[in-house]
Amino acid sequence: MSKKIKKVLAKKNNNKIVCLTAYSKNIAQILDKYCDMTLVGDSMANVLYGMKNTHKISLDTIIQHSISVRKGIKKSLLVVDMPKGSYKTPSEAKKNAKLIFKKTNCDAVKIESNNKNFKIIREIIKAKIPVMGHIGYTPQFKNRFKVEGKKKREAKKLIKESVSIEKAGAFSIVLECLTPSVAKEITKRLKIPTIGIGSSSHCDGQILVTDDILGLSGFYPKFVKRYVNLNTIIEKAVKKYSKDIKTKVFPNKKNFLYGKWKKNRFYKKNRKFL
Ligand code: KIV
């Protein structure tokens, strides 16, 4: 088991585990300072590519974004989502997990549970690739959003599913949109850390989609806390840029690349970009 995974496991019952999603290097290098885990989520399908669900995002697209994210990461655990259709059979799952691992140099992969694919988790782990599970509202398998575990029978099923995922060897598990009591019970029963999204503070850690907390995605359900409204900030900057061009405020002499420019401080500081 890698040092990074051991570090995350050690936080169970001690410290809360901080996780966020990233799809590119620039964002990843900011997250890396504060997060224990960075996930290249298939949520990029909706958030970045404007698809109606996560079903059509390709393995290759996930790999390309993960390569970018990897470049921004030094210390956090890099987990890559396996997209829908990439783990239909144990042998396909193993082949694709190996491909993700090799091309992205990630630390683990995440697969959504359909309450049947425990053998697939075991098979990926046999190939020495750590796996994170994911239960509750699993967008790859469920078309309708709902809070999971309200009914007693449903709660029991979720608890059993989480235990099976732990038994299969997963090092951690995402609990998405579970009732607080089910999240609490699973967190108590499992030795592996639970990472909640819309599943209360009872989980060992929390994850959210970064674009949601930054106010970029336009998706702000109750379980999301929006820390800043980047949409408005970016719009203001772009509006100013547009005005500057039209009024010829930009570019001005300071931005011209001629004459005595090699002597100025800007050139000296930025020569590698020029
Ligand atoms: O794809 C994703 O971003 C996720 C998180 C929301 C857990 O699976």
Side-chain angles (χ1 to χ4, degrees):
M1 189 187 290
S2 78
K3 270 192 195 156
K4 276 187 180 179
I5 290 196
K6 277 189 190 154
K7 216 170 136 189
V8 169
L9 296 186
K11 293 209 167 185
K12 172 118 189 159
N13 306 323
N14 296 314
N15 274 310
K16 288 288 183 188
I17 301 164
V18 181
C19 318
L20 276 171
T21 61
Y23 314 130
S24 68
K25 172 190 153 255
N26 293 350
I27 293 290
Q29 62 193 9
I30 301 170
L31 305 191
D32 194 49
K33 295 183 196 165
Y34 304 97
C35 290
D36 300 298
M37 214 187 282
T38 304
L39 170 71
V40 183
D42 65 350
S43 51
M44 72 173 73
N46 319 81
V47 178
L48 219 54
Y49 288 94
M51 297 173 172
K52 71 175 194 307
N53 54 39
T54 57
H55 300 182
K56 293 267 159 67
I57 197 80
S58 72
L59 182 61
D60 191 47
T61 303
I62 298 250
I63 287 175
Q64 290 311 318
H65 283 278
S66 305
I67 291 170
S68 170
V69 169
R70 171 83 275 169
K71 291 187 175 147
I73 288 198
K74 287 196 184 116
K75 66 168 191 58
S76 63
L77 190 79
L78 176 59
V79 183
V80 175
D81 244 344
M82 293 193 68
K84 188 175 170 79
S86 69
Y87 53 98
K88 276 195 217 135
T89 64
S91 64
E92 241 182 292
K94 191 159 129 180
K95 185 185 99 202
N96 288 326
K98 276 182 166 178
L99 185 73
I100 294 175
F101 219 58
K102 187 170 157 225
K103 293 226 169 176
T104 71
N105 194 21
C106 66
D107 300 295
V109 295
K110 175 167 85 58
I111 71 165
E112 291 184 14
S113 176
N114 58 2
N115 211 358
K116 289 188 210 115
N117 51 16
F118 312 117
K119 188 163 178 230
I120 281 167
I121 297 179
R122 280 197 293 275
E123 203 59 29
I124 300 173
I125 292 168
K126 257 200 235 159
K128 300 207 163 23
I129 297 174
V131 176
M132 184 177 205
H134 184 162
I135 64 164
Y137 175 62
T138 44
Q140 291 184 15
F141 298 109
K142 290 171 187 167
N143 288 321
R144 206 172 62 84
F145 174 82
K146 80 174 196 19
V147 177
E148 304 272 331
K150 282 194 198 159
K151 294 192 182 121
K152 223 175 173 179
R153 206 166 54 92
E154 206 182 48
K156 263 189 167 173
K157 205 170 147 195
L158 284 161
I159 295 167
K160 197 164 165 231
E161 189 177 6
S162 72
V163 171
S164 302
I165 289 172
E166 179 173 68
K167 276 195 187 144
F171 76 93
S172 179
I173 183 168
V174 170
L175 309 182
E176 183 157 354
C177 298
L178 303 192
T179 61
S181 59
V182 175
K184 188 175 181 184
E185 184 58 26
I186 291 176
T187 303
K188 199 175 92 190
R189 285 212 196 176
L190 301 191
K191 289 190 191 71
I192 58 172
T194 59
I195 308 297
I197 172 163
S199 297
S200 84
S201 58
H202 296 304
C203 306
D204 298 304
Q206 297 293 327
I207 186 160
L208 281 175
V209 169
T210 300
D211 294 55
D212 296 345
I213 69 162
L214 298 182
L216 272 172
S217 64
F219 179 71
Y220 314 117
K222 204 173 162 194
F223 64 83
V224 168
K225 183 169 174 184
R226 189 171 43 156
Y227 288 83
V228 62
N229 190 347
L230 277 193
N231 264 335
T232 321
I233 295 172
I234 294 172
E235 190 178 333
K236 266 192 200 154
V238 174
K239 194 173 165 192
K240 179 109 195 344
Y241 171 72
S242 156
K243 191 175 162 207
D244 281 358
I245 292 175
K246 288 176 187 160
T247 55
K248 299 185 185 168
V249 167
F250 176 84
N252 61 35
K253 272 190 182 163
K254 274 192 275 173
N255 312 106
F256 289 179
L257 300 180
Y258 72 86
K260 293 178 183 153
W261 68 290
K262 282 198 174 180
K263 283 193 186 130
N264 80 24
R265 269 185 22 238
F266 176 79
Y267 173 78
K268 282 179 187 152
K269 202 166 147 209
N270 295 288
R271 81 182 89 204
K272 65 173 186 254
F273 302 117
L274 298 168

